[in-house]
Amino acid sequence: MAESVPPQAVLSASELTIAFGAKPLLKSGTIAILEGERIGMVGRNGCGKSTFLKIAAGALAPDSGQVTLRRGLLTGYLPQDFELEEELTVHEAVLRGASAIQALIAEYEADTADSSRAAFLLERIEQLEGWTLDSRAKSLLTNLNAPAPDRIVGTLSGGEKRRVALCRSLIARPDLLILDEPTNHLDTDSILWLEEFLARYQGTCIFVTHDRYFLDRVCNRIVEIHLGAFVSFPGNYTDYLIAQAEREAVADQTEHRRQKFLKSELEWVRRAPGARRTKSQDRVDRYFEAAAQGPPEKTGDADLILPPPRELGNRVISLKDVAAEANGRTLFSGLTWEVPAGARVGIVGRNGSGKTTLLRILTGDQEPSRGTVERGARSEINLIDQHRLQIDHNRTVWDEVGEGRETVKLGEETVTLRGYLRRFLFQEDQMNQLTGQLSGGERSRVLLAKILKRGGNVLLLDEPTNDLDLATLRVLEEALVRFKGTVIVVSHDRYFMNRVCTHVLAFEQDGSLGYDVGNYDEYLARKANRQSKAVPVSMVKEALVQAQKGGRAVKMSWKEERELEGIEEQIHLAEAAVAEAEVQLNDPGFYRGGAPEIAAFQAKLDGQRKGVAALYARWEELEQKKVAATLG
């Protein structure tokens, strides 16, 4: 039996060091990336994730250290700040990602067919599947909901350009794929497709993303940048949370023992005689060595305190028969909706379906093409949009957030600007830093700090999760859940929607609008149930015919009628139990428990989810029988 060959490194980095100004990002960081790995990089905003990806892609040189790539390695790279040639068509821009393959094809076509070089080129082109570039480009553009191939890049929106850039990075099917926030500006269907694409990808992939479901379903290793070093965790994001909690528990126990030792030795050190024997001096040395170690260094969490909202009136925002158009195309129509006070509504749908347009209509920044919008007299609307360009990159964090003031009023409380910025994890040296020198995630925190201080009792958030680190995302979720006003959020982040939303307004693919009570997963379950119930009527009719042929009557028993009457309440209770369990599972503190307890809880939750699915299946069965009995 032949021995399996261990995977080889496609990239290795040794003793990497890099700093921007006085801020060190990587400090002697060392990492090896192996064939077939799908690595998710995590860490706080500004810790150096995007910087490392730039180094790995060859777009940035470290201050010191060495990066080694496997010979002949083909690399694809999607940076946060990408550039596309404005004059190209979308199709041409995507093909630029396969320029190395196109160069081989051009050389092959220019060479004589019987040369040894031509044979080599043909073999290499076929190995890279170069003859399928056009069909691959079409498939990528379709599955990632990108603009039409003949559109000119210069006419595209920022989100459309990012989808084109993602297609460009994927088309060559490189050996090493480097992606910085690939899910930004993708709708849910496109993210699901990308998850499946990367899960079966034959090459190696390393990426940064804030999408926790994406990390869970794609990764086989998590690498955290912590205090300038790479810390590796095998498995997916859930495995990382468990390992991280165990690591922190060990650190806490070690610190507890250190403090206990210091306390017991302190009194002895103070009363010990001046002239010491060697053993006594060793004991004193051990004490001062332990005291000098200090506690383990921990990173703080942001403290997103939303200003207390003014009480809402009976009417928040009312829409009646509202329609919207763009470039002569109807985005949506017939929307009659009473925004509920105190609700947290998630808006979902494909890119270009009209989600952002609806937010602009709600604020009054855009008039509907038909219908009426009425806003309550007590409704104070605050919009946090996805266009980060409203931050002046030539101003400091202090000037951009303070806007000429040195205090911030949060309801009845007034805090200093310095204290307010600290809540968003900005240290003294960063407060006077130009926003243009910050990372994308840090600029997102500046935007949140700037806009959230304006208050309001109706918060509209357009893609608020883009570029935020996972810890800040969790704190934002908790702040929104505690918020006493109304929240309306457009997001592609399914985890965020499940944690925050109490209602979902969905732009369906057939152009209709769906509205459901519950979070995103509950919306999907009800949508699936509605779709399954649209087919069975014809099936029921067929079953009715067959039953009548056999001389059998189709009817419901008294017991089945009572079961159908009460099954909706059972489903509601079962879904509530699942939701409560998922809240506990989503809390990082939960993973401080032992692995057996976590596994048992997960097994119980899986059973509860299967129970909900079984209840839905039984409900559908009884509804079909009820229809059949009616038809009979």
Side-chain angles (χ1 to χ4, degrees):
M1 182 176 176
E3 294 183 5
S4 59
V5 179
Q8 302 297 309
V10 297
L11 180 149
S12 59
S14 177
E15 299 294 317
L16 292 185
T17 300
I18 191 167
F20 290 100
K23 181 181 180 183
L25 296 181
L26 297 176
K27 295 181 285 188
S28 300
T30 297
I31 186 174
I33 299 172
L34 306 181
E35 291 177 339
E37 285 195 302
R38 298 186 297 276
I39 297 175
M41 297 208 71
V42 300
R44 306 307 292 261
N45 288 144
C47 71
K49 301 186 297 296
S50 295
T51 298
F52 173 69
L53 293 193
K54 289 178 183 178
I55 293 172
L60 181 67
D63 296 335
S64 63
Q66 185 175 4
V67 177
T68 304
L69 300 177
R70 191 182 67 192
R71 184 184 296 274
L73 188 74
L74 185 63
T75 300
Y77 176 42
L78 173 69
Q80 266 193 30
D81 301 317
F82 56 87
E83 292 183 1
L84 296 173
E85 295 85 345
E86 297 282 304
E87 71 280 0
L88 297 181
T89 65
V90 166
H91 182 74
E92 291 168 340
V94 171
L95 289 179
R96 288 292 173 94
S99 56
I101 300 176
Q102 288 180 307
L104 293 174
I105 293 173
E107 185 181 353
Y108 172 76
E109 291 176 342
D111 206 345
T112 56
D114 57 350
S115 72
S116 59
R117 177 65 178 170
F120 166 77
L121 290 170
L122 180 60
E123 181 181 359
R124 182 59 175 157
I125 292 167
E126 290 178 344
Q127 182 184 24
L128 297 172
E129 300 181 52
W131 305 118
T132 65
L133 285 180
D134 284 334
S135 61
R136 276 150 60 180
K138 182 178 179 181
S139 173
L140 286 169
L141 291 169
T142 299
N143 286 301
L144 292 175
N145 196 24
D150 57 352
R151 291 272 304 276
I152 302 299
V153 168
T155 67
L156 305 180
S157 68
E160 289 174 326
K161 287 180 179 178
R162 186 162 186 84
R163 294 195 291 279
V164 172
L166 177 58
C167 293
R168 182 181 63 175
S169 68
L170 297 176
I171 188 166
R173 295 178 183 168
D175 305 309
L176 175 60
L177 193 54
I178 302 170
L179 305 174
D180 198 348
E181 295 289 3
T183 63
N184 278 4
H185 302 291
L186 292 187
D187 53 50
T188 304
D189 290 341
S190 298
I191 292 174
L192 290 172
W193 180 87
L194 184 60
E195 283 178 0
E196 294 171 2
F197 176 89
L198 293 178
R200 62 176 185 270
Y201 189 63
Q202 296 299 310
T204 303
C205 182
I206 180 167
F207 55 86
V208 171
T209 181
H210 61 269
D211 190 316
R212 287 150 288 189
Y213 285 155
F214 193 90
L215 287 167
D216 242 5
R217 294 169 181 170
V218 175
C219 293
N220 52 28
R221 177 154 69 118
I222 298 290
V223 173
E224 179 184 11
I225 298 182
H226 181 68
L227 303 177
F230 298 105
V231 185
S232 184
F233 300 86
N236 61 13
Y237 183 66
T238 298
D239 297 324
Y240 157 73
L241 287 178
I242 295 172
Q244 185 189 46
E246 291 173 347
R247 183 184 67 176
E248 290 178 355
V250 169
D252 290 342
Q253 290 173 3
T254 301
E255 174 61 11
H256 176 72
R257 287 195 296 268
R258 188 181 75 91
Q259 292 293 343
K260 187 176 180 181
F261 169 76
L262 291 175
K263 184 176 180 180
S264 64
E265 294 294 283
L266 180 59
E267 185 178 349
W268 178 86
V269 168
R270 285 174 173 171
R271 73 167 183 258
R276 304 182 186 278
R277 297 188 302 275
T278 301
K279 289 184 179 180
S280 298
Q281 187 60 46
D282 287 343
R283 183 173 178 181
V284 173
D285 291 342
R286 285 197 303 273
Y287 167 79
F288 283 111
E289 181 181 347
Q293 288 176 357
E297 188 172 349
K298 294 185 178 181
T299 54
D301 282 333
D303 183 16
L304 302 184
I305 304 296
L306 301 180
R310 179 188 179 194
E311 186 176 353
L312 287 161
N314 293 330
R315 168 174 290 163
V316 180
I317 307 175
S318 298
L319 295 87
K320 186 174 181 181
D321 195 29
V322 167
E325 297 178 355
N327 301 319
R329 180 174 67 93
T330 299
L331 297 175
F332 58 88
S333 62
L335 176 58
T336 297
W337 180 35
E338 188 76 36
V339 177
R344 300 187 296 276
V345 183
I347 301 180
V348 300
R350 297 281 293 202
N351 287 323
S353 59
K355 304 186 298 296
T356 297
T357 299
L358 175 57
L359 291 188
R360 291 177 58 81
I361 289 174
L362 292 174
T363 63
D365 291 337
Q366 179 174 331
E367 291 297 322
S369 56
R370 187 178 66 250
T372 59
V373 180
E374 295 183 25
R375 299 167 192 86
R378 299 177 64 86
S379 296
E380 300 168 347
I381 300 174
N382 190 357
L383 171 65
I384 301 175
D385 70 16
Q386 60 184 320
H387 303 294
R388 300 327 196 212
L389 295 178
Q390 63 180 285
I391 294 178
D392 187 344
H393 291 180
N394 295 315
R395 299 178 73 187
T396 65
V397 174
W398 180 277
D399 292 333
E400 190 66 16
V401 177
E403 298 177 298
R405 297 178 178 273
E406 295 192 357
T407 59
V408 176
K409 190 170 179 60
L410 302 176
E412 299 299 321
E413 179 186 6
T414 298
V415 300
T416 64
L417 179 58
R418 179 170 282 99
Y420 181 71
L421 288 173
R422 283 190 185 129
R423 290 184 175 186
F424 288 82
L425 294 183
F426 290 109
Q427 303 302 317
E428 294 288 336
D429 57 334
Q430 290 179 302
M431 294 178 191
N432 293 315
Q433 191 173 359
L434 295 178
T435 60
Q437 298 174 348
L438 302 176
S439 70
E442 288 170 329
R443 288 197 295 270
S444 292
R445 277 196 271 124
V446 171
L447 182 72
L448 284 173
K450 180 179 179 179
I451 297 180
L452 288 177
K453 71 184 179 69
R454 299 176 186 171
N457 52 18
V458 182
L459 297 183
L460 307 186
L461 301 97
D462 195 357
E463 299 290 5
T465 65
N466 284 354
D467 299 325
L468 292 180
D469 61 47
L470 297 173
T472 305
L473 260 180
R474 187 174 68 248
V475 177
L476 175 60
E477 290 164 355
E478 292 168 355
L480 292 175
V481 168
R482 293 194 304 265
F483 185 64
K484 300 301 183 183
T486 294
V487 176
I488 301 175
V489 55
V490 171
S491 179
H492 62 270
D493 190 322
R494 298 152 291 173
Y495 191 105
F496 180 87
M497 300 286 269
N498 278 333
R499 184 91 187 274
V500 170
C501 294
T502 60
H503 299 68
V504 171
L505 178 65
F507 290 72
E508 308 285 7
Q509 292 193 29
D510 61 1
S512 64
L513 289 162
Y515 185 58
D516 279 288
V517 176
N519 63 21
Y520 183 69
D521 280 348
E522 291 169 328
Y523 152 73
L524 289 179
R526 292 191 180 99
K527 178 183 176 183
N529 184 58
R530 288 193 296 268
Q531 290 175 338
S532 67
K533 290 174 72 174
V535 177
V537 175
S538 60
M539 296 172 61
V540 169
K541 289 181 179 178
E542 178 64 24
L544 177 61
V545 170
Q546 296 300 324
Q548 290 174 338
K549 283 181 179 178
R552 303 189 307 274
V554 179
K555 63 178 183 178
M556 293 185 73
S557 68
W558 179 88
K559 184 178 179 181
E560 288 173 329
E561 289 177 350
R562 301 289 78 75
E563 184 182 2
L564 180 58
E565 287 176 2
I567 200 167
E568 288 192 43
E569 179 63 20
Q570 291 181 50
I571 290 173
H572 175 74
L573 293 173
E575 288 181 330
V578 168
E580 183 178 350
E582 287 176 338
V583 167
Q584 187 175 351
L585 191 68
N586 292 338
D587 182 0
F590 167 76
Y591 295 91
R592 296 183 186 275
E597 290 85 353
I598 294 170
F601 186 88
Q602 184 68 62
K604 178 182 177 182
L605 178 57
D606 290 341
Q608 289 175 313
R609 287 169 173 160
K610 289 177 182 177
V612 171
L615 284 171
Y616 270 113
R618 178 57 175 164
W619 184 21
E620 180 183 328
E621 179 185 350
L622 292 171
E623 284 284 356
Q624 290 177 12
K625 194 165 186 179
K626 179 180 177 182
V627 172
T630 303
L631 292 173

